[in-house]
Amino acid sequence: MSDFGNFKSTALGEWESRIDSRCEFIALNKKHDAAMLIEECESPIEASLLIEIFMDLCMTPMWYTFRSDREIKPDSGALYLIPQLRVDPYRIDIALYHKHFDGRELALAIECDGHDFHEKTKEQAARDKRRDRYLSSLGWTTLRFTGSEIHNNVSECALEILRVFANHMDGRTVDYGAKS
């Protein structure tokens, strides 16, 4: 079994105990859905971040609209958290999608950038920038996290994602603190 295969089985066991303590009210089918989502992840950093987002989302009222479908059906009110969502010609590491009842849509492409595949070379950096522009043209907002960020503080990464989500739900403009 590969190191990542070992990580998946270990992560699933640890996840069960963590989610039980934080989200005692989750129905068994939701736990099953989350375990299936973790199986779709392609790296330990993706699985770690997915687990943390999932656990944080389960503490919100939006939780009750969660769907674990493998494709997005933009019906009002549904919340999708999908690892490895194909948006041709690319795949999004973790997609978070919601269509609000008033018609607003939020499509977050969450990228977990391990050092070996992202921004190590100019070509990798250019590929990621092209990809981000393409997804932006389709209405996706890309949030990128380095493997080190996820490894060192996965909770803060998940909270940053949920802040963007909450700002969207409240109809606020997101302020990333950029200076002109």
Side-chain angles (χ1 to χ4, degrees):
M1 183 180 281
S2 72
D3 286 342
F4 183 54
N6 288 334
F7 171 82
K8 279 185 180 181
S9 44
T10 302
L12 286 170
E14 289 175 8
W15 170 80
E16 279 290 327
S17 64
R18 287 176 68 201
I19 202 136
D20 282 343
S21 65
R22 281 178 67 180
C23 310
E24 295 172 359
F25 58 89
I26 296 176
L28 286 175
N29 65 327
K30 296 296 187 194
K31 289 182 182 181
H32 179 263
D33 289 345
M36 298 294 287
L37 294 176
I38 292 166
E39 284 295 322
E40 298 293 323
C41 293
E42 291 191 346
S43 73
I45 60 174
E46 287 175 25
S48 293
L49 187 55
L50 179 75
I51 290 166
E52 199 68 27
I53 295 167
F54 185 90
M55 289 192 305
D56 286 347
L57 282 172
C58 80
M59 303 304 286
T60 71
M62 292 303 307
W63 175 253
Y64 297 102
T65 65
F66 175 77
R67 300 263 180 93
S68 62
D69 302 348
R70 294 297 306 138
E71 64 183 60
I72 292 171
K73 300 172 189 88
D75 47 339
S76 290
L79 174 67
Y80 293 88
L81 182 64
I82 305 173
Q84 299 302 318
L85 177 69
R86 179 154 297 281
V87 178
D88 282 333
Y90 301 105
R91 265 190 327 212
I92 295 171
D93 288 343
I94 301 171
L96 180 60
Y97 175 88
H98 175 68
K99 183 172 184 180
H100 195 273
F101 293 107
D102 67 9
R104 286 179 288 148
E105 292 179 275
L106 173 66
L108 289 180
I110 303 158
E111 294 299 320
C112 305
D113 294 346
H115 180 68
D116 290 340
F117 300 102
H118 302 274
E119 304 221 5
K120 189 174 182 179
T121 67
K122 289 181 181 179
E123 291 80 16
Q124 289 172 333
R127 179 194 65 218
D128 286 344
K129 302 294 187 227
R130 255 190 323 275
R131 184 180 183 289
D132 293 351
R133 289 189 303 269
Y134 175 77
L135 290 172
S136 179
S137 75
L138 299 177
W140 288 87
T141 298
T142 301
L143 300 177
R144 289 188 173 276
F145 296 90
T146 66
S148 295
E149 285 179 295
I150 296 167
H151 180 74
N152 292 333
N153 198 345
V154 69
S155 296
E156 184 56 38
C157 296
L159 287 174
E160 188 173 336
I161 292 162
L162 293 180
R163 276 193 295 272
V164 172
F165 180 78
N167 285 339
H168 170 78
M169 293 306 299
D170 291 342
R172 293 180 292 201
T173 304
V174 177
D175 178 5
Y176 289 100
K179 304 292 181 210
S180 302

